[in-house]
Amino acid sequence: MEEHTKIQIQIRESRIALAAGGVSIAFAFFILLMYLLHPKKDGGGFFLYLPLLLMLASGVAFFVIYYNKKLLVEEMDICYVNLFGKTRQFTLDEIGFCKIDMGGGKAALSLYDLLGNKLCKLDFDMPGMGEFLQYLVDNRVKIEWNRGQKRGREMMIPDLILYETAVCEEEINKCAADFYEEAGKCFRDWEKRNKKFEVQWEIGFAQYREEDLKKKGQAWERMSSLDEEMLEIPEDYTCVLEAYLKRGNEYIVNRKGEEVAVQIPYLVRCRSYQVGEKNRIRKSDEKVVIEGIRSYLEMLSKELPRRKYRTEAYVLKHKLWKDAGLGAKEIVR
């Protein structure tokens, strides 16, 4: 297998742990130095040195966790190193299932072997976790998650990964057309419930290449390389569901000039983490996307009366489509 196609993933603690350790140690030395330079007759002793020792110990612990705890993936081989530096090696085939748990408002992913014994536990905020979760999903590892658990809005990302499906090029058009109707109904229902605002949504699918999405600026300023009828689906294809809030023919913006809009990736053609597969077209689960839209619209209903908004007569620099893929139908504005 060529080197550039190898699956290599690294998960380790955030640099925040490194910074916290450095601050804790530096602060402990600062207090000790100040005491030595300005000693007090009644100071020092147990009540000074014990807190300093605890601060030093916690700082060292942060450093140990950062440099020791990690998980490395290369193809099917996985190596986990705990905070004490103890190594455990296993393969993808040895993973029986995984669990996502929420405790104290913090999410963690636990891996178990075929007999139900725990292999390792990783915090969701560790850099590389999204990539590793995609690796597990692509290789059809069973992941248990009680979606009824209370969790933050950031957990929509795992939702999108866990419930995505792979589609072929021929399925794109119909999937997008059906979802356009479903998403449109969601926005229309919101408009009916909020007639007092006298606003409406302009919705559609925008189709991009990866280089289009890298350009900075507002969403309406973004230009697409795929605004003409496509003859084939490019390797770096992305289809985004976009919705812009309007009053009449003008768009609603906040006091910073940012458009009030929704942009959620629906179809993405990208690298596959399944061993032996080059890439795949990933489709977000429609129920998960609709759930996210409804949550945003509910929040917007409360925010519109409390914040200052204005209208601007700008023109979208990319096309919106009723569906996606080959033979997509443009929305006539």
Side-chain angles (χ1 to χ4, degrees):
M1 180 174 292
E2 296 179 11
E3 188 67 26
H4 71 275
T5 63
K6 274 189 176 182
I7 298 172
Q8 294 180 318
I9 302 170
Q10 177 176 276
I11 303 170
R12 67 182 311 159
E13 286 292 332
S14 169
R15 289 184 179 273
I16 294 175
L18 197 61
V23 170
S24 182
I25 292 173
F27 193 57
F29 276 110
F30 175 77
I31 294 175
L32 180 61
L33 180 61
M34 288 298 101
Y35 173 73
L36 294 175
L37 293 176
H38 307 283
K40 293 183 179 180
K41 292 181 180 180
D42 299 330
F46 176 81
F47 292 103
L48 171 67
Y49 295 114
L50 180 60
L52 289 179
L53 286 173
L54 291 175
M55 291 176 66
L56 283 171
S58 64
V60 171
F62 277 120
F63 274 95
V64 170
I65 291 172
Y66 177 78
Y67 285 107
N68 279 354
K69 190 175 181 181
K70 58 190 170 185
L71 184 137
L72 306 172
V73 178
E74 184 165 340
E75 291 298 307
M76 295 186 66
D77 297 318
I78 303 172
C79 177
Y80 172 71
V81 184
N82 67 13
L83 60 90
F84 300 109
K86 186 177 179 181
T87 300
R88 169 175 282 176
Q89 295 184 331
F90 52 96
T91 66
L92 178 65
D93 291 336
E94 293 179 70
I95 303 175
F97 63 98
C98 304
K99 279 185 179 180
I100 296 177
D101 298 307
M102 296 290 295
K106 193 172 185 179
L109 176 70
S110 298
L111 277 62
Y112 297 86
D113 64 17
L114 299 170
L115 298 177
N117 300 311
K118 184 179 286 189
L119 293 168
C120 64
K121 183 176 181 180
L122 303 164
D123 293 332
F124 247 93
D125 57 3
M126 296 175 71
M129 270 301 299
E131 197 175 5
F132 182 59
L133 187 62
Q134 193 76 71
Y135 170 81
L136 295 173
V137 170
D138 286 2
N139 288 285
R140 300 180 182 179
V141 176
K142 182 182 178 183
I143 300 177
E144 299 178 0
W145 185 14
N146 179 8
R147 295 190 67 209
Q149 290 178 306
K150 186 177 180 181
R151 60 194 194 278
R153 291 178 60 189
E154 68 276 4
M155 292 305 290
M156 185 181 176
I157 302 297
D159 260 333
L160 290 171
I161 295 175
L162 289 173
Y163 297 98
E164 72 177 21
T165 53
V167 297
C168 61
E169 293 186 13
E170 293 76 18
E171 296 176 296
I172 290 178
N173 195 274
K174 185 178 185 309
C175 289
D178 292 344
F179 185 50
Y180 177 80
E181 296 298 324
E182 186 178 356
K185 184 177 183 301
C186 182
F187 285 104
R188 298 290 91 82
D189 288 345
W190 183 88
E191 291 174 358
K192 291 176 183 177
R193 295 195 307 272
N194 295 276
K195 289 183 178 180
K196 59 184 178 182
F197 297 135
E198 298 180 342
V199 294
Q200 64 281 338
W201 290 94
E202 180 180 2
I203 70 169
F205 293 108
Q207 302 183 102
Y208 302 106
R209 300 195 68 154
E210 185 178 353
E211 60 185 20
D212 301 328
L213 296 171
K214 290 181 179 179
K215 298 173 182 177
K216 296 181 180 180
Q218 302 289 351
W220 67 270
E221 299 175 302
R222 189 180 294 143
M223 301 182 72
S224 172
S225 305
L226 302 177
D227 273 351
E228 302 304 322
E229 186 173 351
M230 290 183 291
L231 300 177
E232 61 180 6
I233 305 295
E235 294 290 322
D236 56 351
Y237 173 79
T238 298
C239 171
V240 181
L241 176 68
E242 296 188 352
Y244 297 87
L245 191 61
K246 302 177 70 175
R247 177 175 287 137
N249 294 320
E250 297 187 334
Y251 294 85
I252 308 292
V253 298
N254 62 21
R255 63 172 64 186
K256 295 181 180 179
E258 300 167 336
E259 69 273 2
V260 179
V262 174
Q263 293 111 25
I264 301 178
Y266 177 58
L267 294 156
V268 179
R269 186 171 197 168
C270 57
R271 178 186 182 181
S272 171
Y273 287 96
Q274 180 177 327
V275 178
E277 184 180 56
K278 183 181 178 183
N279 57 43
R280 65 172 56 184
I281 301 172
R282 308 179 187 277
K283 179 179 72 66
S284 298
D285 182 84
E286 288 83 358
K287 291 182 180 179
V288 172
V289 177
I290 291 295
E291 182 181 314
I293 292 172
R294 284 176 177 159
S295 177
Y296 172 77
L297 292 178
E298 183 179 344
M299 179 274 294
L300 189 62
S301 298
K302 299 174 183 178
E303 292 293 325
L304 282 175
R306 296 189 298 192
R307 297 177 181 262
K308 290 186 177 181
Y309 293 90
R310 66 176 190 273
T311 61
E312 283 192 9
Y314 59 73
V315 178
L316 294 185
K317 293 188 177 181
H318 57 269
K319 294 181 179 179
L320 293 181
W321 310 80
K322 291 183 179 179
D323 46 26
L326 304 180
K329 302 176 186 66
E330 182 184 354
I331 295 174
V332 180
R333 298 189 181 110

